[in-house]
Amino acid sequence: MAADNDKWPFPEDNPKASSVSIGMASDRPIDISRFLLARGPRSAKLNNDASHLAYISDVTGRKQVWVMSTRGGQSQQLTFGNGVNSYYWHPDGKQILYSADNNGDERPAYYLITTDGRTEKVVLSHSNAYRSFGAFDIDGKRFSYASTERNGRDFDLYLYDFETQTSKMIYQAEFGFYPSSWQPNTNQLLMTEVRGEDANNLYLLNSDNREAKVIFKPDISADINSFSWSKSGSGFYFSSNINTEMNKVMYHNIKSGQTNIVAEHQLNLEKVKLCNQDKYLVWVVNDNGYDQLNVMDLASKNTQKVSLHKGVYSLSCSGNSEIMSVLVSSYYSPGTIYLVNLKSLKPTTLKTPDMAGINAHEMIEPKVINFKARDGVSFQGLLYLPTSITKGLLPPLVVDVHGGPTSQAKPNWQPLTQYLLGKGIAVLDINVRGSTGFGKTFTRLDNQTKRLDSVTDLVDAIAWLKQNGQVDADRAAVMGGSYGGYMVNAVMGAYPKVFKAGASFVGVADWVRALETASPGLKASDLIEYGDIREEKWQSFYSNNSPINTVKKIESPMFFQHGVNDPRDPVLESDSMVQALRENNVPVKYMRFADEGHSISKVSNKVLFYRELATFLEKYL
């Protein structure tokens, strides 16, 4: 709908498909298109008896669900069409519920399909509502979800009944409330309330009488996630930083109300799963973005580490099997699926990625670096250094800023990074203040009036790198998407002499406009992360501290990318930056995708985008 009503006056900014040559497999440096054609599975999940595993792949050019037997063999494509957003195994292990929106508008419909692919039906049809899946009840007759269909802003909770094919509201909310897992053998389920981007409250909601009992509502907000109920329903395991700096593994007893620490570490403990009829508890330790897998035998309380190749892990447990799956993405692999026997802790490889002729051993591992900002705050980044550089010269640099801001730069598969390394360009994947994985305090150092402190982190990073002597920091560009796009817009105007070029994707230009028009899924967290934009205090603050105010100070060439259907940061954000820069005769490349939203999902568009971006960065570095 946004694309149909679009009146952008510069048709040359609309990307057009063209023939692409990826070169020979032996060509060096490796072409960006070949990196994009190296693909691995994503979002791998086991069904309840671990007989089958599903995953998402874009090998067809769209993200689709595939299913394969855990005994091995060929995968089968299950979904077709314009692409899926997410999927969920039905408790019977023979059906999958999946969601699909319209070209990135984040307003999904839901479909139920059998794993033989022969029977499919619409469960919730497309509407103007934003929806968020919760969980199936234990027998799979119903599932919970949150939806904005009542007023377009607030996420109320609903139950969908497969027998009657109807939905009913079970909780009327304000802003961001979301359903989670069901308490076994009851009509009660966990419900979270958003308290900023890194925290939430937790309730136990009775779906019959709609009463919500507070479980956790800490005075100092905390992250509470990864819920796994015991099979008796007496309590649940979870990860949280309640009353602590780092996330620990905890257990909450529903009857007594007592919460105990099960495992703790000086690093974050994440991705908690309860497996095989309460026999095993698993989690990962987040060590500078690398995951370390731990398995606890709940009978003996003995905990052991599982040896897998280094990377970022995605875990899936079965309720009735000793088999769990671990999907590993790393700097040299777009995704390998392992099956781990929880009794023997022996891993076996189920599925490997298609590397498109790329030698994984040529990929470059990042170095973990730590340094201080001007105010003494320590922060971290992953520095990728090219192996082939011009003799006697230090390599130029791209500083990559992640979105969120509550996210973390991790050593996973990054096609653009490895491509630039092959061209002799270093990359710093930076975790500025506001990033997760380094403690509660660090995550909140950019909240509200501290917003601009994270922008100066980029300047301080360049200053440190100039002294460090590993790269030529005088030849540096900065790029980022979403919140990272805002960071690019901000630093290029506030500190116009620091970077030779900037590349901003789906970034904010005017915070007042962005916060007022944010999609419902962001409004609840925005209240704490940024302040309530309905108040005059925050209207004034962001009127004075938005990148659009300093756009005329930008001197260096800029690259912009935005999807017309973006519901999070409307395309007007990039439009306004581009128009102002062109009026000021600053070189600008703009890629404005009519069939995308807040991220680029179609492979054909990714190829166009990354090829143009790589050309831009090479040109100005």
Side-chain angles (χ1 to χ4, degrees):
M1 291 171 61
D4 290 343
N5 295 317
D6 191 33
K7 294 181 175 63
W8 183 245
F10 305 102
E12 64 272 19
D13 294 331
N14 301 322
K16 294 179 176 60
S18 60
S19 59
V20 174
S21 172
I22 64 172
M24 305 291 286
S26 55
D27 288 349
R28 293 296 180 273
I30 300 168
D31 189 83
I32 183 61
S33 298
R34 189 175 289 276
F35 275 111
L36 292 171
L37 293 173
R39 298 187 178 100
R42 286 172 275 178
S43 187
K45 300 176 188 176
L46 291 167
N47 66 351
N48 203 37
D49 63 3
S51 62
H52 288 79
L53 180 139
Y55 62 89
I56 289 177
S57 173
D58 63 2
V59 69
T60 63
R62 301 284 194 276
K63 293 192 294 184
Q64 305 292 356
V65 179
W66 295 66
V67 176
M68 67 181 300
S69 169
T70 52
R71 295 187 298 273
Q74 188 170 345
S75 303
Q76 300 294 325
Q77 184 177 345
L78 187 62
T79 63
F80 298 82
N82 203 34
V84 305
N85 298 113
S86 56
Y87 75 94
Y88 315 92
W89 276 105
H90 189 277
D92 67 9
K94 299 177 181 178
Q95 302 176 90
I96 282 177
L97 183 76
Y98 72 91
S99 66
D101 68 9
N102 287 309
N103 289 324
D105 69 356
E106 299 185 16
R107 295 170 172 87
Y110 286 81
Y111 307 83
L112 189 69
I113 188 169
T114 55
T115 50
D116 61 11
R118 297 173 184 169
T119 304
E120 185 177 14
K121 62 182 179 182
V122 178
V123 175
L124 295 171
S125 59
H126 282 289
S127 73
N128 287 325
Y130 294 86
R131 293 168 175 150
S132 178
F133 180 80
F136 291 102
D137 63 9
I138 196 166
D139 56 12
K141 293 182 178 179
R142 303 173 298 173
F143 69 85
S144 59
Y145 67 98
S147 174
T148 63
E149 61 189 73
R150 176 172 58 88
N151 63 7
R153 186 196 73 175
D154 301 316
F155 279 91
D156 303 318
L157 271 65
Y158 292 81
L159 279 186
Y160 179 86
D161 187 302
F162 283 105
E163 184 176 351
T164 63
Q165 299 181 35
T166 58
S167 294
K168 69 173 182 179
M169 186 193 297
I170 58 171
Y171 189 79
Q172 183 170 312
E174 184 178 10
F175 287 114
F177 282 74
Y178 300 94
S180 187
S181 52
W182 289 80
Q183 182 182 16
N185 309 311
T186 73
N187 281 328
Q188 299 188 123
L189 67 156
L190 295 176
M191 176 178 69
T192 61
E193 177 190 8
V194 172
R195 289 189 68 190
E197 289 200 349
D198 67 320
N200 51 281
N201 295 328
L202 186 66
Y203 305 85
L204 187 64
L205 175 64
N206 188 308
S207 64
D208 293 331
N209 61 24
R210 306 185 181 190
E211 292 182 358
K213 175 185 175 183
V214 175
I215 299 178
F216 296 118
K217 197 173 184 178
D219 292 334
I220 299 176
S221 60
D223 178 31
I224 312 167
N225 68 81
S226 298
F227 309 111
S228 287
W229 283 95
S230 63
K231 63 181 180 181
S232 67
S234 59
F236 57 89
Y237 295 90
F238 62 106
S239 168
S240 181
N241 56 15
I242 295 175
N243 300 321
T244 185
E245 189 68 24
M246 309 301 289
N247 280 48
K248 303 177 182 181
V249 179
M250 300 183 181
Y251 178 80
H252 180 78
N253 185 296
I254 286 293
K255 186 175 181 180
S256 69
Q258 185 174 355
T259 302
N260 296 319
I261 296 172
V262 178
E264 57 186 325
H265 198 283
Q266 69 268 28
L267 301 172
N268 251 18
L269 304 185
E270 305 168 351
K271 305 174 185 177
V272 177
K273 302 282 184 183
L274 186 60
C275 310
N276 191 22
Q277 298 291 322
D278 292 10
K279 291 183 180 179
Y280 304 99
L281 187 68
V282 301
W283 65 87
V284 301
V285 179
N286 179 350
D287 186 0
N288 284 305
Y290 291 94
D291 286 335
Q292 300 172 354
L293 179 61
N294 289 258
V295 177
M296 175 185 281
D297 184 314
L298 287 174
S300 66
K301 304 300 181 184
N302 182 42
T303 301
Q304 297 185 67
K305 295 179 181 179
V306 179
S307 296
L308 296 170
H309 81 255
K310 293 174 67 175
V312 182
Y313 299 171
S314 174
L315 313 180
S316 176
C317 272
S318 159
N320 297 305
S321 171
E322 290 183 338
I323 299 297
M324 73 172 293
S325 71
V326 184
L327 171 61
V328 183
S329 172
S330 67
Y331 69 91
Y332 64 85
S333 169
T336 300
I337 298 175
Y338 296 96
L339 297 181
V340 177
N341 185 299
L342 292 170
K343 186 175 182 180
S344 67
L345 301 184
K346 180 181 178 181
T348 57
T349 303
L350 179 65
K351 186 171 181 60
T352 57
D354 182 350
M355 294 300 294
I358 295 173
N359 185 346
H361 296 293
E362 294 183 39
M363 302 299 98
I364 295 175
E365 183 176 7
K367 296 179 179 180
V368 176
I369 61 171
N370 295 276
F371 46 101
K372 287 187 176 182
R374 65 189 66 184
D375 58 0
V377 171
S378 296
F379 55 110
Q380 180 256 30
L382 302 175
L383 181 61
Y384 296 79
L385 294 171
T387 55
S388 59
I389 58 176
T390 303
K391 188 175 181 179
L393 292 177
L394 293 173
L397 173 73
V398 171
V399 178
D400 191 358
V401 192
H402 64 67
T406 47
S407 182
Q408 182 182 359
K410 294 187 175 186
N412 49 14
W413 179 247
Q414 298 184 45
L416 180 63
T417 294
Q418 295 294 336
Y419 170 79
L420 293 174
L421 289 166
K423 289 285 189 177
I425 300 172
V427 177
L428 173 60
D429 205 353
I430 193 170
N431 284 304
V432 296
R433 68 189 72 199
S435 302
T436 51
F438 306 97
K440 184 191 299 183
T441 299
F442 187 80
T443 302
R444 300 175 183 182
L445 287 177
D446 67 340
N447 282 9
Q448 299 187 1
T449 57
K450 303 173 184 177
R451 183 65 41 205
L452 299 182
D453 292 346
S454 61
V455 178
T456 60
D457 286 346
L458 300 177
V459 180
D460 294 343
I462 292 297
W464 183 86
L465 288 165
K466 286 182 179 180
Q467 295 180 343
N468 180 261
Q470 296 185 80
V471 301
D472 182 356
D474 288 321
R475 287 189 295 150
V478 59
M479 71 177 183
S482 192
Y483 184 83
Y486 151 71
M487 291 281 282
V488 173
N489 293 341
V491 76
M492 293 299 290
Y495 302 92
K497 303 293 186 181
V498 174
F499 294 100
K500 296 295 184 186
S504 170
F505 326 131
V506 295
V508 168
D510 182 340
W511 273 119
V512 175
R513 179 176 60 205
L515 293 171
E516 286 179 339
T517 61
S519 63
L522 297 177
K523 282 188 179 295
S525 60
D526 287 350
L527 291 174
I528 294 176
E529 179 75 27
Y530 301 99
D532 192 339
I533 199 61
R534 296 171 297 183
E535 297 176 4
E536 185 178 346
K537 168 186 176 181
W538 297 112
Q539 286 269 345
S540 176
F541 177 80
Y542 286 112
S543 292
N544 296 325
N545 294 285
S546 290
I548 197 65
N549 294 333
T550 56
V551 65
K552 292 190 181 299
K553 296 181 180 180
I554 295 177
E555 303 172 0
S556 301
M558 293 288 293
F559 181 106
F560 289 89
Q561 175 271 317
H562 219 117
V564 175
N565 299 313
D566 188 348
R568 302 190 186 198
D569 293 328
V571 70
L572 185 59
E573 296 298 308
S574 290
D575 288 352
S576 59
M577 292 291 291
V578 169
Q579 286 176 313
L581 288 166
R582 285 177 174 166
E583 289 171 3
N584 211 29
N585 296 316
V586 174
V588 175
K589 172 67 180 180
Y590 191 18
M591 300 191 76
R592 208 171 177 274
F593 289 95
D595 57 345
E596 298 285 5
H598 194 63
S599 62
I600 297 181
S601 63
K602 301 175 179 65
V603 173
S604 57
N605 288 340
K606 286 182 182 179
V607 171
L608 291 171
F609 167 48
Y610 278 102
R611 182 173 286 280
E612 290 292 340
L613 175 60
T615 300
F616 173 86
L617 292 172
E618 287 180 71
K619 178 179 179 179
Y620 292 108
L621 292 181

